[in-house]
């Protein structure tokens, strides 16, 4: 740097700090700050030397403490240049005077000033170790707040001597408030900076490249706000503003308190709003600028995807996110290789071990980090219960200090039994929320979502009919919103308010009464969707059952193809029409059909009178009942038959007409286009999932499938392996064949 550049830089710095350098010199200058010596009118003249020495010590102490502030302001200099946040000249001398004035008093103000001095002393070390450019905005915000309070102190000092000021209780209270504010802001800034340092993204990117964590079998779809190319794949979102206020406040306070229990259980019946609450909590601690960004990981379970319904993905996905958010954790997980092991090994090797190592390097005073696990009851089989049991044992053993877990689920008896030991303040039963509060929240949501009907008195009736269930309200909103005008929406709402009477048999008398409105709503929606000639209903019902029983989310064309009919195009048109009419419960994203809420497939899979709906003949006024339910085991057998028939019909040698068997797949030009043209969507599905459907079929059906399996093995198994290889799934072939062999062996033993 040239001498001219140095002079220019020095002049700019001197202008910014407004005399700050002179404050840090040991000699007093002609600044407007008061003399640090005691008042000459003091009656204890003999103690002048002692007081003078004490004053020098206090002055030096504050000068040392304020080096941290000087460093902060230097770091924030560029962003604050030209702003009104100039630090008053001689502010340290002003503070020394104030401390001299209160040094003989053992009161709250003196304690506040000494605490401020200690925390400011710690600032220099924190700031010296941080060169992260991403922290500039944070530093600027803190510097601005600090400068405002220093201006207030400087303004007060001009009114009178500190001794006179301190004799006024109102002024003394104001000073106490200023120092209390500064202390809290320093503490807040230090915590935020410590979190920022641990979450240094640039260093984490390098670590991820070294660790190759992106190759882990984690589930991106389980992350609460997962998007695919900007389009939400799953129907997730936060609570409507102004709803669930007390519940959210309770959970927020639990998450921030260092002394609260480490696990919180939120439970409620299907459709009570657990997932939206979990989403709101995750978003609050991830995005809210007024909060510490302490959200570390989320896993939102869902039966709609393999990677969100299998237990084996939970810990690797949580560990993947923890490593993404914390440098210290990412460094500690380098040598772990338990991604594909059993749950206990995953917890110990991917979570407990690395976390305990990372905690050793955490800055003191860091708030607890938060992990959110939603809808644990949607994990396949009893694996959700096993996961929670092992998690609770691990937490109770003190192995995950500094982590907090919010877990949501339906009131499954096994899960409830595990959570019986939880303290009352770490459990929330949504079914116990007062009816008045639930109704108010529902009405807030309805008024916002159905703005055209906000003055309609019947909207209140719809709110009461929801009976506190948000799934009823949200489903009703989607149903009513199909109307584009006020009149159409009002008419659709009337259809929901005056549905056909639905009788529930005595065998379902133990079903919670809160679920009855949702069943009634599904009856109404299904009645409209199946308002076709009676002889056409079975085909539509089969399409619906195909969609709900499929091993992955499928398109309407695949759902139609699995009907195993020669009239595929006609069946596809029926499938498209059915999904349009079921828009309140099903939706299409990325050409695949999803359900909004798990309560809808639950309703279809329930066996009994509640699944029978009343339909009218189109050519006369008479009515008939139609059972909408699906026997899952029987339908899996039906899908297994369809898959085997489709493979038998469509698979053949060299299905993609490749020019040579000596070429690697990577050497074949336009191979993916060729696969898409020659291996249809329904054939791809059949190749991937036929074995799984056999495994899930009832054992009595296995003998009926045996002949088709034997025929397939004899004539088409090599063609199937070829197709699986082209789909890059050849490693699954031996597993699938082994599963089928086990099923057939058991069937022969019956």
């Amino acid at each position: 740097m040239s001498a001219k550049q140095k002079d220019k830089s020095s002049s700019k710095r001197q202008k910014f700090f407004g005399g700050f350098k002179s404050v840090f010199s040991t000699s007093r200058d002609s600044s407007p700050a008061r003399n640090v010596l005691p008042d000459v009118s003091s009656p204890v003249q003999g103690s002048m030397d002692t007081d003078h020495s004490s004053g020098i010590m206090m002055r030096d102490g504050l000068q040392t403490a304020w080096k941290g502030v000087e460093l902060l302001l230097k770091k924030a200099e560029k962003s604050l240049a030209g702003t009104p946040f100039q630090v008053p000249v001689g502010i340290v001398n002003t503070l020394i005077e104030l401390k001299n004035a209160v040094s003989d008093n053992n009161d709250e103000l003196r304690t506040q000033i000494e605490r401020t001095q200690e925390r400011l002393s710690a600032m220099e070390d924190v700031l010296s170790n941080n060169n992260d450019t991403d922290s500039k905005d944070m530093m600027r915000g803190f510097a601005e707040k600090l400068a405002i309070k220093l201006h207030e102190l400087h303004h007060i000092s001009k009114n009178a001597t500190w001794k006179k000021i301190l004799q006024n209780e109102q002024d003394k209270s104001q000073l106490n408030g200023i120092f209390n504010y500064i202390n809290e802001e320093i503490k807040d800034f230090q915590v935020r900076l410590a979190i920022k340092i641990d979450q240094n993204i640039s260093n984490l990117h390098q670590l991820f490249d070294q660790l190759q964590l992106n190759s882990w079998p984690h589930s991106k779809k389980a992350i609460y706000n997962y998007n695919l190319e900007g389009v939400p794949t799953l129907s997730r979102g936060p609570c409507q503003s102004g709803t669930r206020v007390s519940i959210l406040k309770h959970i927020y306070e639990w998450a921030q308190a260092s002394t609260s229990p480490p696990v919180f259980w939120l439970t409620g019946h299907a459709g009570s709003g657990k997932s939206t609450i979990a989403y709101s909590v995750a978003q609050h601690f991830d995005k809210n600028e007024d909060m510490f960004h302490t959200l570390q990981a989320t896993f939102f379970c869902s039966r709609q995807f393999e990677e969100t319904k299998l237990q084996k993905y939970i810990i690797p996905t949580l560990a993947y996110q923890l490593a993404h958010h914390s440098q210290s954790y990412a460094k500690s997980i380098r040598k772990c290789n338990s991604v594909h092991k059993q749950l206990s090994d995953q917890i110990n090797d991917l979570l407990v071990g690395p976390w305990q190592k990372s905690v050793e390097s955490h800055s003191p005073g860091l708030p607890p980090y938060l992990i959110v696990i939603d809808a644990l009851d949607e994990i396949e089989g009893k694996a959700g219960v096993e996961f929670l049991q092992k998690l609770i044992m691990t937490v109770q053993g003190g192995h995950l200090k500094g982590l907090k877990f919010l877990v949501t689920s339906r009131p499954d008896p096994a899960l409830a039994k595990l959570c019986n030991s939880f303290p009352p303040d770490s459990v929330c039963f949504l079914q116990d929320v007062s009816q008045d509060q639930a109704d108010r929240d529902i009405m807030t949501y309805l008024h916002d979502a159905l703005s055209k009907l906000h003055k309609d008195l019947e909207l209140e009736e719809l709110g009461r009919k929801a009976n506190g269930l948000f799934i009823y309200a949200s489903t009703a909103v989607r149903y009513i919103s199909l109307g584009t005008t006020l009149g159409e929406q009002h008419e659709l709402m009337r259809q929901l308010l005056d549905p056909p009477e639905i009788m529930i048999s005595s065998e379902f008398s133990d079903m919670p009464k809160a679920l009855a409105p949702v069943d009634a709503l599904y009856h109404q929606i299904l009645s409209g969707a199946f308002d076709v000639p009676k002889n056409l209903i079975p085909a539509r019902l089969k399409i619906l059952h195909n969609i709900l029983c499929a091993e992955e989310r499928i398109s309407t064309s695949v759902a139609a193809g699995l009907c195993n009919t020669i009239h595929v195009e006609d069946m596809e048109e029926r499938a498209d029409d059915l999904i349009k009419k079921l828009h309140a419960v099903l939706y299409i994203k990325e050409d695949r059909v999803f359900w909004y809420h798990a309560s809808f497939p639950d309703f279809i899979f329930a066996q009994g009178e509640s699944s029978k709906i009343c339909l009218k003949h189109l050519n006369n006024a008479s009515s008939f009942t139609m059972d909408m339910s699906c026997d899952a085991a029987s339908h899996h057998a039906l899908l297994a038959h369809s898959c085997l028939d489709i493979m038998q019909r469509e698979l053949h040698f060299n299905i993609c007409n490749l020019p040579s068997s000596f070429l690697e797949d990577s050497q074949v030009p336009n191979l993916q286009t060729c696969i898409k043209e020659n291996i249809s969507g329904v054939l791809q599905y059949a190749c991937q999932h036929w074995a799984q459907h056999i495994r899930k079929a009832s054992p009595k059906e296995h003998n009926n499938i045996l002949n088709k399996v034997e025929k397939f093995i004899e004539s088409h198994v090599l063609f199937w392996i070829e197709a699986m290889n082209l789909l890059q799934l050849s490693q699954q072939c031996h597993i699938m064949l082994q599963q089928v062999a086990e099923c057939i062996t058991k069937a022969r033993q019956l």
Side-chain angles (χ1 to χ4, degrees):
M1 183 183 291
S2 67
K4 185 175 181 180
Q5 288 175 318
K6 288 182 179 179
D7 291 342
K8 184 176 180 180
S9 176
S10 176
S11 174
K12 181 179 180 181
R13 186 176 297 277
Q14 181 67 32
K15 180 179 179 181
F16 173 76
F17 288 108
F20 218 75
K21 289 182 178 179
S22 64
V23 172
F24 288 89
S25 64
T26 55
S27 61
R28 293 192 301 277
D29 56 14
S30 58
S31 71
R34 303 178 193 278
N35 195 310
V36 297
L37 294 177
D39 190 344
V40 292
S41 62
S42 171
V44 191
Q45 297 292 330
S47 63
M48 178 74 77
D49 292 340
T50 302
D51 290 343
H52 178 71
S53 174
S54 176
I56 292 174
M57 291 177 65
M58 284 183 279
R59 179 193 65 195
D60 291 344
L62 278 171
Q63 287 172 351
T64 300
W66 278 79
K67 287 181 181 179
V69 179
E70 183 186 35
L71 181 58
L72 165 70
L73 295 172
K74 284 180 179 178
K75 283 178 174 284
E77 178 178 351
K78 290 182 180 180
S79 60
L80 285 177
T83 71
F85 299 101
Q86 295 278 24
V87 177
V89 175
I91 185 61
V92 174
N93 284 350
T94 301
L95 291 172
I96 292 172
E97 263 193 6
L98 174 57
K99 186 166 183 180
N100 283 340
V102 300
S103 60
D104 296 330
N105 300 316
N106 187 20
D107 61 7
E108 185 180 355
L109 180 57
R110 179 183 177 182
T111 303
Q112 289 278 27
I113 294 175
E114 289 175 346
R115 188 181 296 118
T116 302
Q117 179 178 331
E118 291 171 1
R119 285 183 173 163
L120 288 172
S121 297
M123 290 291 294
E124 183 175 12
D125 291 335
V126 175
L127 291 165
S128 297
N129 294 326
N130 180 52
N131 295 312
D132 180 16
T133 56
D134 293 336
S135 300
K136 287 182 179 179
D137 289 341
M138 192 188 304
M139 292 181 185
R140 170 178 174 165
F142 174 65
E144 290 177 353
K145 293 176 181 178
L146 190 61
I148 290 172
K149 292 301 174 182
L150 295 179
H151 270 288
E152 291 180 18
L153 282 174
H154 196 59
H155 178 74
I156 293 172
S157 70
K158 292 180 179 180
N159 296 331
T161 64
W162 282 119
K163 285 189 176 181
K164 289 183 178 180
I165 292 171
L166 293 173
Q167 290 172 0
N168 186 310
E169 287 299 321
Q170 185 176 353
D171 289 339
K172 191 174 180 180
S173 176
Q174 183 182 0
L175 289 172
N176 191 59
I178 290 173
F179 279 98
N180 183 61
Y181 177 88
I182 292 175
N183 283 329
E184 291 302 314
E185 287 300 321
I186 294 172
K187 182 181 177 181
D188 180 270
F189 175 70
Q190 288 174 325
V191 171
R192 288 181 186 276
L193 198 57
I195 293 174
K196 191 75 175 179
I197 292 171
D198 191 42
Q199 297 178 352
N200 188 303
I201 299 300
S202 59
N203 290 345
L204 280 170
H205 286 328
Q206 296 174 5
L207 275 174
F208 263 54
D209 290 341
Q210 295 171 10
L211 299 173
Q212 296 183 327
L213 293 181
N214 287 317
S215 63
W216 279 23
H218 61 280
S219 171
K220 290 185 177 180
K221 293 183 177 72
I223 299 173
Y224 86 100
N225 59 348
Y226 169 74
N227 276 352
L228 183 62
E229 297 180 356
V231 179
T233 302
L234 291 171
S235 180
R236 296 178 186 149
C239 299
Q240 178 70 39
S241 178
T243 65
R244 300 302 199 188
V245 175
S246 60
I247 295 173
L248 290 172
K249 181 175 181 291
H250 183 193
I251 298 175
Y252 294 162
E253 290 174 350
W254 161 82
Q256 296 173 82
S258 58
T259 56
S260 60
V263 181
F264 190 105
W265 185 42
L266 174 69
T267 183
H269 293 301
S272 55
K274 300 180 295 295
S275 293
T276 54
I277 292 173
Y279 190 103
S280 293
V281 173
Q283 187 180 64
H284 182 76
F285 289 101
D286 185 27
K287 303 294 184 182
N288 192 332
E289 292 301 325
D290 295 329
M291 300 299 305
F292 299 133
H293 291 178
T294 54
L295 180 71
Q296 291 295 290
T298 59
F299 195 98
F300 276 54
C301 310
S302 171
R303 283 175 277 168
Q304 305 213 52
F305 300 103
E306 178 178 349
E307 65 190 68
T308 57
K309 68 179 179 182
L310 297 182
Q311 180 202 83
K312 67 179 182 179
Y313 288 101
I314 300 179
I315 293 298
T317 301
L318 297 180
Y320 171 86
Q321 294 173 80
L322 278 167
H324 184 77
H325 286 108
S326 171
Q327 283 191 77
S328 56
Y329 181 85
K331 291 176 181 176
S332 302
I333 206 171
R334 287 184 178 182
K335 297 181 180 180
C336 295
N337 59 355
S338 301
V339 178
H340 299 286
K341 293 185 179 180
Q342 297 296 317
L343 178 62
S344 296
D345 294 326
Q346 286 185 342
I347 290 177
N348 290 329
D349 297 347
L350 299 180
L351 194 58
V352 173
W355 178 254
Q356 290 181 337
K357 289 180 183 178
S358 70
V359 168
E360 296 173 0
S361 62
H362 282 182
S363 300
L366 274 180
Y369 282 160
L370 178 65
I371 292 176
V372 179
I373 303 172
D374 177 59
L376 197 55
D377 54 281
E378 293 206 24
I379 293 297
E380 195 171 74
K382 297 295 181 181
V385 176
E386 181 195 8
F387 173 83
L388 184 59
Q389 184 178 30
K390 292 190 182 301
L391 176 65
I392 291 173
M393 290 174 58
T394 304
V395 169
Q396 290 177 342
H399 303 305
L400 294 173
K401 292 181 179 178
L403 282 180
K404 286 197 168 186
F405 295 85
L406 170 63
V407 179
T408 80
S409 74
R410 298 184 191 182
D412 179 275
L415 289 170
K417 185 177 180 180
L418 288 174
C419 300
N420 280 340
S421 61
F422 285 16
D425 60 344
S426 62
V427 178
C428 179
F429 298 94
L430 290 180
Q431 57 267 37
D432 292 343
V433 173
S434 71
Q435 191 64 47
D436 288 344
Q437 181 61 60
D439 288 343
R440 284 196 298 271
D441 286 346
I442 291 288
M443 287 312 304
T444 298
Y445 169 75
L446 289 177
H447 279 294
D448 184 80
L450 297 172
S451 56
K452 291 181 179 180
L453 297 172
H454 74 282
K455 294 182 180 179
D456 196 320
L457 295 178
E458 291 180 337
L459 194 62
E460 300 286 337
E461 185 181 348
L462 184 67
R464 289 191 296 272
K465 206 169 185 64
N467 199 27
L469 289 176
F470 270 85
I471 186 58
Y472 182 99
S474 59
T475 305
V477 164
R478 288 191 292 270
Y479 183 80
I480 295 168
S481 296
L482 186 63
T484 57
T485 67
L486 175 61
E488 288 179 345
Q489 290 192 359
H490 178 82
E491 184 176 339
L492 290 170
M493 181 169 65
R494 284 290 351 143
Q495 291 178 13
L496 296 182
L497 295 176
D498 299 316
E501 185 176 351
I502 297 160
M503 301 299 294
I504 299 178
S505 67
S506 58
E507 65 180 296
F508 287 90
S509 59
D510 60 338
M511 188 176 72
K513 291 182 179 179
L515 293 183
V518 178
D519 284 352
L521 183 59
Y522 289 154
H523 273 255
Q524 183 70 15
I525 292 169
L526 287 167
S527 296
F530 285 85
D531 187 19
V532 295
K534 187 177 180 179
N535 63 312
L536 299 181
I537 291 177
R540 287 183 172 236
L541 197 56
K542 190 174 183 180
I543 291 170
L544 176 60
H545 292 173
N546 286 349
I547 290 170
L548 299 183
C549 277
E551 286 299 297
E552 64 180 47
R553 296 310 98 222
I554 57 177
S555 64
T556 53
S557 62
V558 171
L562 288 172
C563 290
N564 202 17
T565 176
I566 59 175
H567 305 293
V568 177
E569 291 185 3
D570 175 71
M571 200 61 73
E572 285 183 16
E573 291 179 5
R574 298 189 198 190
D576 290 334
D577 182 65
L578 178 64
I579 301 306
K580 288 178 183 177
K581 291 182 176 179
L582 289 174
H583 73 280
V585 290
L586 300 176
Y587 67 101
I588 295 178
K589 289 291 184 185
E590 302 159 1
D591 198 34
R592 297 185 178 195
V593 183
F594 296 85
W595 54 79
Y596 283 104
H597 195 268
S599 60
F600 180 67
D602 287 347
F603 172 80
I604 297 296
F605 290 128
Q607 301 291 304
E609 296 296 318
S610 64
S611 60
K612 294 179 180 179
I613 67 171
C614 181
L615 296 171
K616 289 184 178 181
H617 288 286
L618 296 184
N619 55 351
N620 57 58
S622 62
S623 61
F624 63 95
T625 59
M626 176 62 66
D627 190 355
M628 295 284 110
S629 68
C630 174
D631 182 339
S634 296
H635 201 78
H636 278 296
L638 189 65
L639 287 172
H641 280 287
S642 293
C643 288
L644 288 166
D645 288 342
I646 291 166
M647 290 191 295
Q648 196 78 24
R649 187 168 59 243
E650 296 188 22
L651 287 173
H652 58 82
F653 175 71
N654 193 15
I655 191 169
C656 285
N657 301 312
L658 301 182
S660 171
S661 59
F662 294 101
L663 291 177
E664 295 284 342
D665 287 350
S666 59
Q667 298 175 311
V668 179
N670 303 316
L671 179 60
Q672 292 306 313
T673 301
C674 187
I675 291 173
K676 189 175 181 180
E677 291 175 350
N678 291 279
I679 306 179
S680 65
V682 70
L683 178 58
Q684 289 189 33
Y685 179 90
C687 288
Q688 293 178 55
H689 300 297
W690 66 277
Q692 192 73 348
H693 285 303
I694 292 176
R695 191 176 70 84
K696 290 187 176 182
S698 60
K700 65 180 182 181
E701 298 284 352
H702 289 160
N703 278 326
N704 298 329
I705 302 173
L706 178 58
N707 289 336
K708 285 188 178 180
V709 172
E710 290 178 342
K711 184 178 180 181
F712 170 74
I713 296 296
E714 290 174 2
S715 60
H716 282 69
V717 69
L718 293 179
F719 303 153
W720 169 67
I721 293 174
E722 177 194 357
M724 289 289 282
N725 181 67
L726 289 168
L727 297 172
Q728 299 181 356
L729 296 170
S730 58
Q731 71 277 9
Q732 295 184 17
C733 291
H734 75 283
I735 299 174
M736 294 171 66
L737 291 173
Q738 185 177 6
Q739 290 175 341
V740 172
E742 290 174 359
C743 291
I744 299 301
T745 301
K746 290 179 181 179
R748 285 173 172 168
Q749 294 172 352
L750 291 177

